[in-house]
Amino acid sequence: MNLKHLGLIAVVAIAAFAAPQAASAYYFEPSPGGPLTVDAPNDLVTDFATADVDGNGNEDIIRVGSGKGIHVFLADNDGQGFTPAAGSPFGTGTPGTTRFSVTTGDFGGDSAIDLLVGTGNPHTYETYLGADDGTFPTNPDFTFSVPSVGPDFAAPSGPPAVGDLNEDSRPDLVVPMTAHKFAVALGSATGQFTVTPESPVNVPTTNNLAGESFTAASVGDWNGNGHEDVAFSSSDSADQAPPAIFTAIGNGTGVLIPTGSPVYTQAVFQDMPSIATIDLHTNVWDDLAVASPFTDQVVTLIGSPTGLVANPAPNGTMETGQNTRPISVVNAKLSGDGVADLGISLYADHSLTFAESRGDGNLDLVPGSPFDLPPIGGKEFRPEIVMGGDFDGDDISDLAAYSSDPGDSGIARGIDVMINRPLPVMTPASLNFPATPLGGESDPLTVKLENGGSPNLYINSISIPNNDGKFELDSSACPSFFYGGGRCNIKVVFKPGLEYDTPSANLVITFTGGVEPVSVPLTGHTPARMEPDVDTIDFDETIVGYEPDTGVDYVQINSTGGDALELGNPLITGPDASDFSIENAANCTAAPIPSGSSCTLTVTFAPSSSGFREGYLDFESANDPDPPAPVALEGYGRKAEYTVSPASHDFGEAKVDEVTSRPTQTFTVDSNGAAGVPFTGASVTGANADAFEITLNNCPTQEPIPAHDGSCSITVEFNPTGDAGTRSANLVVDAFSSVASGPATIPLTGTATTDPIPPVGKPKLVVNLKFAAKVKRGKTLVVNAVVKNTGDAAARPLIIKATAPAKMAKAPKPIKVSTLAPGKSITRKLKIKVKRNAPRGRKLTVKVTASSGKVKRTAVRATRVD
């Protein structure tokens, strides 16, 4: 659509039902019968109007556009849709031409709605008299044309405005024209219009340019003298004169006298395609609203004794939002408050928005708007003309707008109808009652029911079905219906009965008039309930001080109330509290435990004394108003005690390396406490540990040595080697005692003697090394180690080990040779990895050691790192 030169914008004033309370918001929803479309190629819309053409109390929609015919869509009685009138389309008997405007009124004087249709060249207006059943004739009853005279040959350029200009109680017409002119056509008792002799009337403008056209007109009493005047919006096709609002003042005879100077001039050289008569002050002067799409504003002018003047109110000019393009305004009673409202189509925003008058000249955008207009066939809806009409018979105006662009088939073509609906709003969205004692009742909670729309909202019923008597409501404050913005409070009480649970129900409100029911979920909570799965934990007998024997048991805390269970820090109390502990308190305290869930605590028993020990598991705080008794904790501490006999032993003399008749001693471990003695093992330690050997150990390691009279034995043999002399070591018995710390240590002594047996031969080793004189960094140095046994005994086994400075190289693992006989030699390669960062030019010293038992020989040689 070309906004610059749009000339087909209509304005409609709508009467509506008045009510004493103002609506706070509006709610519109697409009509179930929309959108209203005509099949291609006749789908282009140029204008539409609303009126009750079939006399059923609901206003209907009359559409004109490309192709023959005037399409009439009748609103059904329940507001759910539209049906083409019988015989529609009408007016098909005339030559095919585009209709550019349609205007409704009682032109024939019989109370039935008639149509005035403007056609294309030649500019002819056709009157179709209605039969009050939604039908119209095939051919017009009357026609008239506006004469084109003078050098500029002015022609109609916008839809006519309707008013009683000569005060004969018959509607007359004001036709805006090109070349800043207008024509007046006076109505008659038959429906025929007669153009006055003065027509067309010239309106002097500042520049009097031939390109200045009037694109919209609206009738109102601007100066309050009781006679109807007219306002025009102008546009200059050559952009030489700024758009402006001009007026012509009536005298009640059908003559309109132009005032000449504009009452408002727009700074932006773009069209003001729509104007509407409104009443911002409820006084004797009518006011005017102007759609200014390229400033994103709706501008208002107010009437005065001298005619229309600028509105001084702070909100007299209303911003509709950046790049929304308010293209059309309509004066409509959208609520029952008796105050004028404005419906505004936002071309670029694909939506409708609304403004309310404060009664002091100010306008306010209405909460809840804008409302998006649905696309048609997947094509975006660009609203042009917006019209009001009571399509569903509730005495409140609904809105309709058309979308059509002859130059862009990608834009929707058709009419969207938005039904002005009541809107039940429930606040809050749900009620969640606090925990209420069994058998009691909660304080009442309140749900606010509000009509967020503007038509009346009629209540059918308010109830809480299927709630087993646990919820009671008081809706006595709610009337049978609400005006727009009306509200009432509904009170609900929760009575839980005698069972722990979390009951739920719904507060349901039903309405008449096709409004869907609304509901508010209700949830009641009984107190939290804590139920441990045990009342006593018996740890039985536990060894005092022995950590591996610590008693471990578990308590499951079940949340069985209606509310989530909140537990404070668990506590151990009682005479022996220090002997019990809780390992994982956070399991039950990190977050509330939902009803039906549980948590588990780990409780341990580590007695510090013998005898009966007792304590209690309790919680510092809990939201269970009647918590159970603490869980009793009990157990017995038993001491483990033992002795080892003898407490020490001297094995006397033993010949070195003697293989028979070695001296031995058996040591007895006696358990003499109330608890069994845990035994881990026995070993010999000390300076000459290798001279003593445990040859027998029958002490148990899988279970304790039985209490009181249990015992076991350990046998130690004295087997010295080497030179003669004294030997000493300790037998370590690794068993636990509650009365003594650490293992028992038994001193062992003995004397090694020698005999005249000649010494046995032994190996003798010689080592020679061969490797390169230098080696590169990061490379491997290969060392050839030659080992020869020059002794009189075999070397068993033979270990060859190489070492080098760790900062310069990495030595290889030792090489093991099982035996090297006397007089024999072997060669082994040892690979030493030189590090990349080894200092260049430095000496790398390699040491190779050959050993067999106590026989050892070492060779050292160096190489240079290159």
Side-chain angles (χ1 to χ4, degrees), residues 406-423:
D408 189 349
S409 60
I411 301 299
R413 293 182 176 182
I415 300 171
D416 270 348
V417 180
M418 302 293 285
I419 303 299
N420 190 351
R421 293 288 196 191
L423 176 64

Side-chain angles (χ1 to χ4, degrees), residues 196-574:
T196 61
E198 297 84 6
S199 298
V201 180
N202 180 66
V203 178
T205 63
T206 304
N207 300 305
N208 286 309
L209 300 174
E212 292 183 87
S213 300
F214 293 140
T215 56
S218 188
V219 173
D221 184 3
W222 315 133
N223 57 13
N225 65 358
H227 304 306
E228 290 192 330
D229 313 312
V230 68
F232 305 94
S233 63
S234 72
S235 172
D236 181 12
S237 60
D239 287 341
Q240 294 178 342
I245 301 296
F246 294 88
T247 59
I249 304 302
N251 57 16
T253 66
V255 175
L256 295 169
I257 308 300
T259 57
S261 298
V263 295
Y264 171 75
T265 300
Q266 182 176 267
V268 178
F269 276 64
Q270 301 291 350
D271 287 355
M272 298 179 291
S274 176
I275 58 178
T277 301
I278 57 174
D279 186 2
L280 297 176
H281 295 86
T282 62
N283 52 24
V284 297
W285 301 297
D286 288 330
D287 310 306
L288 189 72
V290 181
S292 179
F294 285 93
T295 63
D296 293 317
Q297 293 176 328
V298 173
V299 178
T300 60
L301 307 171
I302 60 173
S304 73
T306 60
L308 290 175
V309 297
N311 187 353
N315 282 18
T317 295
M318 188 183 68
E319 307 289 339
T320 60
Q322 186 175 9
N323 296 324
T324 54
R325 301 290 187 262
I327 195 173
S328 176
V329 291
V330 62
N331 179 0
K333 301 295 184 181
L334 299 174
S335 67
D337 61 3
V339 179
D341 305 307
L342 276 179
I344 306 161
S345 65
L346 302 180
Y347 180 82
D349 198 47
H350 320 299
S351 63
L352 300 178
T353 192
F354 314 100
E356 285 184 324
S357 170
R358 299 183 193 173
D360 59 359
N362 287 288
L363 288 172
D364 293 310
L365 282 174
V366 171
S369 65
F371 289 93
D372 292 336
L373 291 161
I376 297 177
K379 298 179 180 180
E380 65 180 25
F381 195 97
R382 293 286 182 88
E384 297 186 20
I385 295 174
V386 59
M387 290 284 183
D390 181 11
F391 304 125
D392 57 359
D394 61 0
D395 294 324
I396 298 292
S397 294
D398 309 302
L399 291 175
Y402 87 76
S403 170
S404 189
D405 189 334
D408 189 349
S409 60
I411 301 299
R413 293 182 176 182
I415 300 171
D416 270 348
V417 180
M418 302 293 285
I419 303 299
N420 190 351
R421 293 288 196 191
L423 176 64
V425 179
M426 305 289 283
T427 309
S430 62
L431 290 184
N432 191 16
F433 288 85
T436 303
L438 301 183
E441 68 178 58
S442 71
D443 291 334
L445 297 183
T446 300
V447 176
K448 180 174 72 175
L449 170 63
E450 182 174 8
N451 182 5
S454 52
N456 291 343
L457 177 66
Y458 293 90
I459 296 177
N460 179 50
S461 66
I462 302 176
S463 64
I464 306 177
N466 304 320
N467 76 61
D468 298 328
K470 293 184 177 181
F471 298 94
E472 291 184 359
L473 68 85
D474 177 4
S475 60
S476 59
C478 291
S480 60
F481 74 95
F482 294 103
Y483 299 111
R487 60 183 66 89
C488 73
N489 289 332
I490 302 169
K491 296 185 176 181
V492 183
V493 172
F494 170 50
K495 295 183 175 182
L498 299 177
E499 293 182 1
Y500 283 101
D501 59 1
T502 308
S504 61
N506 288 287
L507 169 62
V508 179
I509 305 179
T510 62
F511 308 92
T512 60
V515 179
E516 292 294 322
V518 294
S519 64
V520 174
L522 311 174
T523 304
H525 293 264
T526 52
R529 180 65 178 164
M530 177 174 63
E531 290 189 4
D533 65 340
V534 295
D535 54 14
T536 302
I537 296 179
D538 186 354
F539 288 95
D540 202 6
E541 296 186 354
T542 300
I543 300 173
V544 174
Y546 186 51
E547 184 176 350
D549 198 40
T550 298
V552 179
D553 212 327
Y554 306 92
V555 180
Q556 180 174 292
I557 306 296
N558 299 305
S559 174
T560 60
D563 214 354
L565 178 62
E566 297 179 17
L567 299 176
N569 292 325
L571 300 175
I572 302 294
T573 61

Side-chain angles (χ1 to χ4, degrees), residues 606-626:
S608 57
S609 299
S610 60
F612 180 72
R613 317 298 289 171
E614 62 179 322
Y616 299 94
L617 170 63
D618 201 352
F619 287 85
E620 189 176 51
S621 62
N623 61 339
D624 182 348
D626 185 23

